Amino acid sequence: MEQGYKLRCPSCETESMTTSYTEYQVEHFGSVLLNVSSCQRCGYKHSDVMTLTNREPIAVTARINSVEDLNMHVIKSGTATIMIPEFGATITPGPYSEGYISNVEGVLQRLEDALIFMLSSAKGKQLKKGERMLKKIRHAREVKPRFTLVIKDPFGNSTLVAKDPRKLRRRRLTRRELMSAKFGEYALEQKSYH
Ligand SMILES: [Zn+2]
């Protein structure tokens, strides 16, 4: 399923954005729409994923123990936070946070790219901390993957997909977690949460 029409670009403010939707069927999850918008004038790009059903605020945790686990699929919406406690990494969604469909390897790649960008202007303690994190990520990608990946989404539009479902743990976010999560207050507003 794909369609295209021109939208106003938030960057150059002309009617030059085309947008497309691609539908994916995700095992044990359902239908996911990947939306990619790009501006033909200034090159601005944005993507997000959404689902068509009403979902619960969730946390999905995967234990990554092997190179094969790096192929686990990751569906991350624009409202999801990704955490890798062993690296001290928390990636919270910004106002224009992107959603994407990728795999664990792709998440590490994005994290590495963001870190390298950040390190180019970091100093002192922050620089040391960032360099340590970068070393851990590279070690995990190239030598020995051994870490925990957590994805939390107040709207439940994100998930992890593993060949072996026993590698995953799924639970509903607590009210307290929702209150401190980015975008969590909107989820609380949207439905009564007990
Ligand atoms: Zn533009």
Side-chain angles (χ1 to χ4, degrees), residues 9-14 16-17 39-44:
C9 170
S11 178
C12 70
E13 300 188 329
T14 65
S16 314
M17 286 254 286
C39 178
Q40 286 164 340
R41 189 155 176 271
C42 74
Y44 173 85

Side-chain angles (χ1 to χ4, degrees), residues 26-39:
V26 179
E27 256 182 288
H28 309 298
F29 191 67
S31 172
V32 174
L33 281 180
L34 174 67
N35 166 228
V36 179
S37 303
S38 59
C39 178

